[in-house]
Each structure stands twice: as C-alpha cells, then as structure tokens.
C-alpha cells in the first residue's frame, strides 16, 4: 500500500514539478520582458543629456558669428573651439573616438575637435536620421571593432538654418554599467546587450560587436535562439526593450536552463517534503493497520478455537469504537454459542439416556415375550400330544362329534402356536436380535423345497400351481432359512386368498445385480389404499372375514423386515378381484 502511495506521490510530484517549471518559465520570461522594456526606456534620456550639452554651444553668440561670417574673428573661432572641446570632455568616451564637429549650412566642415583619426566617412551620414530642427541620435555603427554613434542638431536663426552641430560618441568598456544592470536583472547568468532597433548591429555593454542571434524556435510558449557569441552550447531566451527617442534597444539574454533555476530548488525542496510526508504517512498507516489488525487477529484465534470446540475464548473489548463494538459482539456471540452448545450437550446426553432406557425396555419386552412364548409353547405342545393320544384311540373309541371337537382343538392349538412363533420373531426383529447367516442360495432348489412344504395346502385348495425359472442356476446371497420363511409366507397367503380352482404362479429372474422372486395369484386382490398398510403389524384387509386360524397380520411385516435386513425388499402389486403379485428382491451372488 505504501509502495502504491509512493508511486502516486512520485507521479504527482513529477507532474507538479513539470507544471511549476512550465509556469515559472512563463512567469520569468514575462518578468524579463518587462525588465527589458524598462531598460530600453533608460536609453531615452540620452536625447535630453545631449541637448543639455549642445545647448550652450547652439546658443552661443561667438559660435553663431563663426557660422554667419565667412571670415570669422579669431577670438570667436577660439571660443567656439573651446566650447566644442568641452563637448568632448563631457563625453565619457573622451579617451578615444569622441569627436565634435561644426558645419556650415551648406555642409562644409568648419571645425573638428577630438579624435579625427577614425574614418567613419562612409557610415556617419547613414547613421544619423536628420531631423530638421531638433536633436537626432543616430544608429550605432562599427569602425575597426569599435562601436560609435552620432548625435546632431541643426543651428537656426530666425527660422533659417545657419549650421549643424554634431558629436560622435563611442561605446567603450563600462564595467560599472554591467554591474548595475546585473543587479537589476536579478537572475544569475543574465547578459545585457545593445543593438540597433532595426537589428543592424549587436554589441555588448562593453562595446564589442557581436553577431546577431540565429535559429529562432518556439518551445511551448517561449521563443528561443542560438547565440554562440553570448552563450555557447545552449539556447537562449532574449527580450528587447526599445528606446522611443533613439534608434537603440537594450537586450536581456538568458540561457533557457536559467529561466526556471529558482523553481528547480523549490521543486527539489517540495520533493524532499513529499518524501518526508510519505515516510510519516507510511508509519501512520502501519500504526493504524496494526491498531485494526491486532484485535482482528485475536478474534481470528478465538474463532479458530471455537471451531475446534473451545468456547471459553474471549477478546479484549478495547480500541476504536468500531473495533470495540466488534469485540463485544464477538464475545456476546461466543457466550451464546457456548450456552447453546451446553444445551445441545445436555439434550444429547438426555437423548442418549432415553435411548438406553428404551433399548433396555425393548430388551426386557423381548426377554419377556421369549420367556412367555417358551412357557406357552410347553402347554400347547402338551395339548397337541394329548389330542394325538385321543385321536389314536388310546383313551378309548371316539364318536364323530368327539373327533370333530378334537380336530377344532388341534387347529386352535396350531393357530396359537403359530401366533406365538410369529410374535416371537417379530419382537426379535424389532430388538435386532435376529441373526443372519448369509450364503449363496440356489434359487431353483429353494423354490422346489418350499413347494414341497406348501403342496398339501395347494392341493387342498384345488389350485393350479407353476414355477417358472427364467434363468437356471441363479443364486442369491441370503440366509437360506429366512428366505424360505418369506417364500412360504407369500405362497401360503397366495393359497389362502385364492379361490379354489384359481392359479398360483411363481417366477424367478435376475436384473441389475438383483434377483426378483415373484408370487402371483388370481385371488381376491388387495384394495389400492391398503397396499402399503398390509406391511404394518397386525393389519389385515378384512378382519371379520379372517378367522383366528387365518393368521394375525404379522406375516408380511416379518417378511419385509427379513428381506430388508438381507439387503433386499418386499414389494406388492394388486388389483382387487383380479389377483396380487408379491415380489421378493434379493441381492444376486456377485
Ligand atoms: P395374515 O396372513 O396372517 O393375515 P399377513 O401379514 O401375511 O398376515 O397378511 C396381512 C393381510 O394382507 C392379510 O390378512 C390379507 O388381508 C392381505 N393379503 C396378504 N396376502 C394376500 C394375497 N395374496 N391376496 C389377498 N390379500 C392378501
């Protein structure tokens, strides 16, 4: 995060620096332009100063007489020469190059004072723009590597020109001027130049002629030049201020790099400030993050402990408002979870206790029923034995009524015995006390054996029975005795609920790893709504019709429980008045 912040800040500083530099360049160039204009105007008073120097000469009577007379008085000539000499001494360039000149109205040179060795005959005339009745300052011109200029004024009398006064000055070394200008320019590296406003001559403050700047170009809003005579190896900006009274201009010149020198240090300082701010910001972010993440870390540890079942962990409810709130919510949640967990544990243990109690009760019931059935079986077997004795005539001959009664006693005894057997098995199944011995059972063999057992009943009912094996040598993985018990129950029911002369049919076939043993009859059938109920204990379709010897409604319950316990199932399809099909499904031997 800090790195991202640093990047963003660095980008912002760079963009800002560029903008500041650009802005400062524009500002600096604007300032230079104004300074140049001021400097240009500083040249204007030259005219006044020349006028002040010229005035005593122009108004002097001796000078006028000298001009008006063809043979002037030698005293007037001497006086005029003295005045002209003063003009030269007043000129700071009196060391050399300065010259004063008096001409007649027709242009003849009447007098020359000063340095007459400089031959400017070719340049002097063109250098002065003559004004008919006021002072004219001429353009700068160069002779022998030195820069000169002419100042000239007409001398009139009664509106008629009687002569012309001129003085030639030279621009020489002026270290003071350069120093003063530099302090005025302010910016280090600033150069000051003179030039004729028309650009015909460029020269330094010290009067050294130079070539004009070349290759102008515009970078952004700033115009730059190449000016090797002033700044070598770098482009420059230059601004000129023209004088309004002379044909001269002042030029301020500065390397482009110096234009925004001041702002570079500002930008540098700004960048350092940003870096410091960034470090401080990073530290602050780290501290704040720590303040937030430390409680979150503690909460994570507590939550992990809770996930492992330890609900005793709590977190400190301190820190900022939000964190404090989160902490207290977490603690509340932990307390509630702990309480809920304790409740759950209590409920689970009481459920366990209840289950154990129920199992105990079930076992007691099973034991009771087992004991009961055992106790009941003994007298019932005794009854069967005595009935048999009587039937055999061992207690004397029986009349037909006695035989009929004995037969009823025998059926009741068998019914009771069967009932007891079924209740016992049912109870054992409920208590999961029935054990199974799974083995590979040959389906055809099992069917034939069961057939033998049921055959008397089928014959007695006069039914048409058949067994159809679709796949010979088919085997199931099941308990042989239990499977036979189920088949026997199905066949018995089929025989019981099919009218004499009806059909009873068994089939076997294999499909998808299972074996389907079907027992179909053309009996009374079962009402649709009873199809699921007949598997419930003690349910019979029409109890009134079922006499005690006909069963108690446990056969199908036991059969389906046994089938399911062996990994199979018992299903029924039936149409009332048409017949029923019971299907025993068992896993095929793999
Ligand atoms: P039980 O035969 O001792 O009554 P079951 O559990 O074997 O007990 O059968 C329950 C009831 O289902 C029977 O009383 C009978 O009403 C009905 N039932 C069973 N098999 C058939 C069948 N093949 N045809 C018609 N009804 C049947």
């Amino acid at each position: 995060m800090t790195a991202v912040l640093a990047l963003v800040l660095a980008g912002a500083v760079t963009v800002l620096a560029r903008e500041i530099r650009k802005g400062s360049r524009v500002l600096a160039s604007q300032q230079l332009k104004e300074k140049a204009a001021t400097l240009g105007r500083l040249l204007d008073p030259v005219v006044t100063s020349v006028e002040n120097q010229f005035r005593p000469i122009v108004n002097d009577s001796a000078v006028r007489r000298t001009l008006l007379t063809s043979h002037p008085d030698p005293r007037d000539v001497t006086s005029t020469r003295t005045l002209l000499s003063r003009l030269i001494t007043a000129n700071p360039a009196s060391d050399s190059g300065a010259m004063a000149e008096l001409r007649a109205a027709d242009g003849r040179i009447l007098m020359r004072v000063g340095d007459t060795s400089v031959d400017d005959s070719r340049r002097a005339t063109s250098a002065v723009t003559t004004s008919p009745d006021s002072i004219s300052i001429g353009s700068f011109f160069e002779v022998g590597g030195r820069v000169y200029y002419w100042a000239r004024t007409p001398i009139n009398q009664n509106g008629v020109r009687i002569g012309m006064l001129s003085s030639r000055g030279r621009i020489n070394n002026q270290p003071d001027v350069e120093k003063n200008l530099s302090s005025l320019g302010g910016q280090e590296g600033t150069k000051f130049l003179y030039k004729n406003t028309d650009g015909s001559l460029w020269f330094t403050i010290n009067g050294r002629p130079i070539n004009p700047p070349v290759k102008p170009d515009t970078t952004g809003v700033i115009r730059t030049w190449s000016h090797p005579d002033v700044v070598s190896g770098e482009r420059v900006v230059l601004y000129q201020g023209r004088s309004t009274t002379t044909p001269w201009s002042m030029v301020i010149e500065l390397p482009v790099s110096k234009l925004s020198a001041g702002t570079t240090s500002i930008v540098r300082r700004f960048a350092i400030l940003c870096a410091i701010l960034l470090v401080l910001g990073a530290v602050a972010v780290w501290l704040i993050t720590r303040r937030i993440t430390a409680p979150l870390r503690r909460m994570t540890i507590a939550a992990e402990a809770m996930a492992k079942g330890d609900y005793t962990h709590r977190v400190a409810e301190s820190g900022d408002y939000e964190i404090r709130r989160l902490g207290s919510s977490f603690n509340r949640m932990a307390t509630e979870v702990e309480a809920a967990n304790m409740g759950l544990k209590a409920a689970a243990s009481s459920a366990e206790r209840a289950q154990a109690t129920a199992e105990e009760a079930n076992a007691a019931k099973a034991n009771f029923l087992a004991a009961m059935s055992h106790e009941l079986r003994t007298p019932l077997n005794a009854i069967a034995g005595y009935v048999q004795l009587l039937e055999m005539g061992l207690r004397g001959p029986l009349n037909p009524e006695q035989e009929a009664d004995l037969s009823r006693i025998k059926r009741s005894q068998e019914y009771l015995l069967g009932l007891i057997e079924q209740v016992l098995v049912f109870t054992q199944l409920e208590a999961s006390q029935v054990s199974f011995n799974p083995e590979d059972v040959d389906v055809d063999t099992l069917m034939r054996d069961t057939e033998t057992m049921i055959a008397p009943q089928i014959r007695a009912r006069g039914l048409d029975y058949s067994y159809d094996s679709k796949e010979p040598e088919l085997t199931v993985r099941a308990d042989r005795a239990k499977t036979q018990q189920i088949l026997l129950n199905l066949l018995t029911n089929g025989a019981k609920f099919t009218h004499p002369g009806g059909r009873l049919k068994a089939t076997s076939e294999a499909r998808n790893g299972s074996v389907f043993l079907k027992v179909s009859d053309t009996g009374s059938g079962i009402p649709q709504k009873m199809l699921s109920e007949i598997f419930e204990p003690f349910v019979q379709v029409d109890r009134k019709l079922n006499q005690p010897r006909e069963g108690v409604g446990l056969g199908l319950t036991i059969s389906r429980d046994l089938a399911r316990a062996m990994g199979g199932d018992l299903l029924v399809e039936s149409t009332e008045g048409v017949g029923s099909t019971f299907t025993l499904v068992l896993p095929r031997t793999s």
Side-chain angles (χ1 to χ4, degrees), residues 12 31 48 101 159 179 201 216 274 284 299 435 454 550:
Q31 284 173 349
T48 326
E101 185 184 84
K179 222 162 76 196
L201 182 67
C274 282
M299 256 174 249
S435 57
I454 195 72
E550 300 286 353

Side-chain angles (χ1 to χ4, degrees), residues 126-142:
S126 64
V128 183
T129 30
T130 323
S131 163
D133 29 51
S134 67
I135 289 175
S136 310
I137 304 292
S139 299
F140 293 118
F141 61 92
E142 183 223 331

Side-chain angles (χ1 to χ4, degrees), residues 319-556:
D320 292 340
Y321 174 68
E322 294 297 338
I323 298 290
R324 215 166 49 236
R325 243 181 81 181
L326 187 63
S328 79
S329 300
F330 181 88
N331 285 345
R332 228 176 16 255
M333 182 195 77
T335 309
E336 280 168 20
V337 169
E338 190 178 12
N341 186 55
M342 275 160 65
L344 266 178
K345 270 186 183 160
S349 76
S350 78
E352 262 171 35
R353 275 199 306 277
Q355 192 183 355
T357 313
E359 275 168 10
E360 270 172 29
N362 221 17
K365 183 182 83 179
N367 287 340
F368 167 76
L369 285 171
M372 274 296 292
S373 54
H374 180 74
E375 290 305 315
L376 285 171
R377 248 185 306 192
T378 313
L380 278 172
N381 285 334
I383 291 170
Y386 284 114
V387 168
Q388 218 170 0
L389 281 178
L390 291 171
E391 277 180 340
M392 287 166 74
L394 293 176
R395 301 289 186 235
L398 299 173
N399 62 35
E401 284 83 13
Q402 286 171 328
E403 273 181 11
D405 288 344
L406 270 182
S407 151
R408 282 191 199 101
I409 292 168
K410 194 179 170 191
R411 277 206 299 279
S412 293
Q413 181 270 340
E414 281 170 356
Y415 165 71
L416 275 176
L417 198 60
L419 176 67
I420 285 163
E421 291 293 341
Q422 279 194 340
V423 168
L424 191 64
V425 172
F426 172 69
T427 319
Q428 285 172 338
L429 272 170
E430 280 233 299
S432 304
Q433 285 177 350
V434 178
S435 57
F436 294 83
N437 297 314
E439 58 181 306
D440 293 344
V441 182
D442 184 80
V443 173
D444 285 354
T445 312
L446 187 70
M447 280 306 294
R448 304 275 173 229
D449 289 351
T450 317
E451 232 173 79
T452 319
M453 296 168 83
I454 195 72
Q457 208 174 329
I458 290 172
R459 257 199 313 279
R461 298 285 294 170
L463 300 175
D464 171 19
Y465 172 79
S466 68
Y467 168 60
D468 180 11
S469 168
K470 298 221 167 102
E471 204 172 321
E473 294 176 13
L474 195 60
T475 54
V476 289
R477 187 73 189 165
D479 183 306
R480 181 189 298 275
K482 307 277 188 308
T483 310
Q484 193 166 49
Q485 186 181 341
I486 297 167
L487 286 173
L488 201 57
N489 178 241
L490 297 180
L491 287 167
T492 308
N493 278 349
K496 202 160 64 177
F497 296 105
T498 305
H499 310 291
R503 281 195 59 211
L504 190 59
K505 186 179 146 195
T507 60
S508 66
E509 65 174 306
R511 230 188 300 141
N512 302 331
S514 296
V515 173
F516 295 78
L517 292 162
K518 294 188 180 209
V519 177
S520 312
D521 61 56
T522 55
S524 59
I526 303 159
Q528 200 65 23
K529 61 178 172 50
M530 295 290 290
L531 282 179
S532 59
E533 285 178 31
I534 53 169
F535 292 102
E536 298 303 320
F538 308 108
V539 173
Q540 293 175 316
V541 172
D542 190 349
R543 248 186 189 284
K544 278 183 290 178
L545 296 176
N546 287 336
Q547 297 306 307
R549 62 184 172 82
E550 300 286 353
V552 287
L554 272 175
L556 288 178

Side-chain angles (χ1 to χ4, degrees), residues 298-314 330:
R298 282 198 292 276
M299 256 174 249
T300 310
I301 291 168
E304 279 169 0
M306 273 171 77
K308 285 179 188 152
D310 178 1
Y311 301 97
T312 55
H313 270 69
R314 295 291 182 273
F330 181 88

